[in-house]
Structures are given as C-alpha cells and as structure tokens.
Amino acid sequence: MKLTADLIASSPSYINAIKDRELDLSSNNIAVIENLGATRDLNDSLNLCHNNIRVLGNFPTLDRLQCLYLADNRIAAIERDLAQFLPRLRTLVLTNNDIGDLVDLEPLKEFGELEILSLVNNPVMSKKDARLWCVWRLASLRVLDFERVKQGERDEAKRLFEAKDGALTDLAKSILDVKSSAPSVANTFEPGEGLDLGSGAVAKEMTAEEIQKEQSISELKAKVRDEMAQVEAMEEYI
C-alpha cells in the first residue's frame, strides 16, 4: 500500500500514555516512506510498525518529531542525511529489521539527541562488539536494546575503538572499511508533497491479526516508556 495523504488523514492520531501526540500508521503494508508533509509536523511520535519498509529515509523536515517506531519492517538501509530532517529525535525503535553491518548505522551518529535505540533482532547485533560499537559511536545513547548504557561499557568501548591520541584503532578502521551491502539511498522528498489532502478517507475495521499486532506494538512502546522513565529518573541525580 502507498503511504498517501488520504491514508495519513484517516489514520488514528491521539495523545499517548506519555502525553505525546502520536500518529499511528502501523499495519498498513506500507513499502515506502513518502507524503509525510501531510502530517504538517503536528506529531511528537510516529508509529510505522508492522509494515514493509526497506529504507529509513525520505522524510520532510519534522522539527517536532521525537519518537519513531519502526519495529517489524524490512529496513536494511538508513538515509545518510536522515538527522538533518529529524533534528529532535530521541527514541528510535528498529526491532525486527534487516540492518546487516555496523557501517550501516553511521547515519545515526549525526543525531545529537538520540537517547533510546532498539536494534533487537537485526543481523547487525550478532556482529562481534556490536553493542560496544554503538555505545562508542552514538555518544548520546542512554538505553540500547532496552538495557541502560553503563559507564563501564563506555570506558571499554573507548579502549577498543579509540587510541590514546584520539585516532581510530585498527579495529574501528576495519569496521568502517566494510563495504555496506545495503542499497545507497537519498532523500527524494519534495516540499509540499502530500499536502493536498483528499476528503474520501474512511476508517477501516481491524482484523484479528491486526489486533494482535497492535497489542505487540503496545507492549513494545510500554517497554520504551519504562526505559524513558528510568532515564529521566537518572537525570535528576546528574
């Protein structure tokens, strides 16, 4: 299914449990991210779980968006300049996707406010030292794969990937030298794309399978909320 302005207009939008404005585009068999200009940057959270998305990219500038849920897709590539379009992103859930190499995560290092990241059940996390690489390369992370990042991990990661003079170690260089198997992607969003909202949108009834998926999304988001609460509690003592 195409992510059209009509689909966006007919999808649920509500205040979620952490008092964020959330747009729910889950379980629509969406293959390509497009037309999100139709959201008019009115949402704090965007739920694109349980679709068929292969590339994380092609966003308009969404200055308000802080949480992006993309569990259970087929994402193998991340747009190089993604952070430019989502400058306030704090939570990114990529559970159950197809990211294969550590070098494929390089676009995420440009997110200066990214605190919570889930890469559970992606092939990349089976790579040796994958967690430590993420901890070192994504300096703002506080929670990775629903586990808090510990100072000991930061220290160990720095020893592994950074020489005393600040240069990259041979191990770090070898990771960055890997040729990505993911397709190269570029943002093709056109200003004004998706803003011509249609009026024929109709609500659809949920099937039993969609209800089950919705429950799993709710459980995942509850886990994220718990981690966010712990992060906020920790911040009080910093």
Side-chain angles (χ1 to χ4, degrees), residues 2-238:
K2 289 196 69 173
L3 178 51
T4 64
D6 282 347
L7 177 59
I8 290 169
S10 65
S11 296
S13 179
Y14 51 86
I15 303 298
N16 64 21
I18 57 173
K19 296 183 170 42
D20 282 348
R21 167 65 64 180
E22 180 170 327
L23 177 64
D24 187 352
L25 292 167
S26 64
S27 303
N28 283 297
N29 200 30
I30 295 164
V32 176
I33 296 172
E34 57 188 338
N35 293 314
L36 286 177
T39 67
R40 301 179 187 272
D41 196 16
L42 296 176
N43 302 286
D44 307 291
S45 299
L46 181 59
N47 182 356
L48 282 161
C49 295
H50 298 300
N51 282 296
N52 198 31
I53 298 165
R54 300 187 182 202
V55 173
L56 177 54
N58 203 35
F59 284 82
T61 298
L62 299 175
D63 290 319
R64 180 171 172 176
L65 191 69
Q66 296 188 51
C67 299
L68 187 53
Y69 303 103
L70 286 148
D72 299 299
N73 277 277
R74 301 173 65 188
I75 294 169
I78 302 173
E79 179 190 315
R80 182 182 58 191
D81 298 326
L82 183 63
Q84 174 184 336
F85 301 95
L86 307 175
R88 296 188 62 206
L89 194 69
R90 292 183 61 199
T91 298
L92 178 59
V93 176
L94 290 167
T95 303
N96 296 332
N97 276 282
D98 295 327
I99 297 172
D101 294 301
L102 291 170
V103 72
D104 295 329
L105 300 173
E106 280 298 284
L108 299 185
K109 71 182 176 61
E110 303 302 327
F111 285 98
E113 298 183 25
L114 186 63
E115 295 184 343
I116 298 177
L117 174 65
S118 173
L119 294 165
V120 173
N121 292 337
N122 279 259
V124 66
M125 295 312 286
S126 66
K127 303 281 186 181
K128 185 178 179 181
D129 298 320
R131 180 176 173 89
L132 291 176
W133 175 263
C134 291
V135 168
W136 178 70
R137 203 65 174 159
L138 310 177
S140 60
L141 275 190
R142 292 175 176 265
V143 177
L144 176 60
D145 291 348
F146 305 108
E147 293 183 18
R148 279 177 287 172
V149 175
K150 299 179 176 66
Q151 185 58 46
E153 290 179 303
R154 297 190 193 278
D155 296 340
E156 184 179 356
K158 187 172 182 178
R159 285 194 295 270
L160 273 178
F161 304 119
E162 189 175 324
K164 290 182 179 179
D165 61 358
L168 300 180
T169 63
D170 289 343
L171 177 57
K173 290 177 183 177
S174 68
I175 290 171
L176 291 173
D177 283 344
V178 170
K179 186 174 181 180
S180 172
S181 58
S184 59
V185 293
N187 192 304
T188 59
F189 175 81
E190 295 290 338
E193 178 181 276
L195 289 177
D196 184 16
L197 298 179
S199 58
V202 293
K204 56 180 179 134
E205 293 186 8
M206 295 178 70
T207 65
E209 181 181 4
E210 288 172 336
I211 291 172
Q212 185 176 10
K213 286 181 176 179
E214 183 66 24
Q215 290 172 341
S216 69
I217 292 172
S218 297
E219 291 170 0
L220 182 148
K221 289 197 291 186
K223 204 169 185 180
V224 171
R225 287 197 300 270
D226 288 345
E227 294 294 348
M228 288 179 69
Q230 290 183 44
V231 167
E232 289 168 0
M234 289 167 61
E235 286 176 341
E236 293 181 5
Y237 296 97
I238 295 176

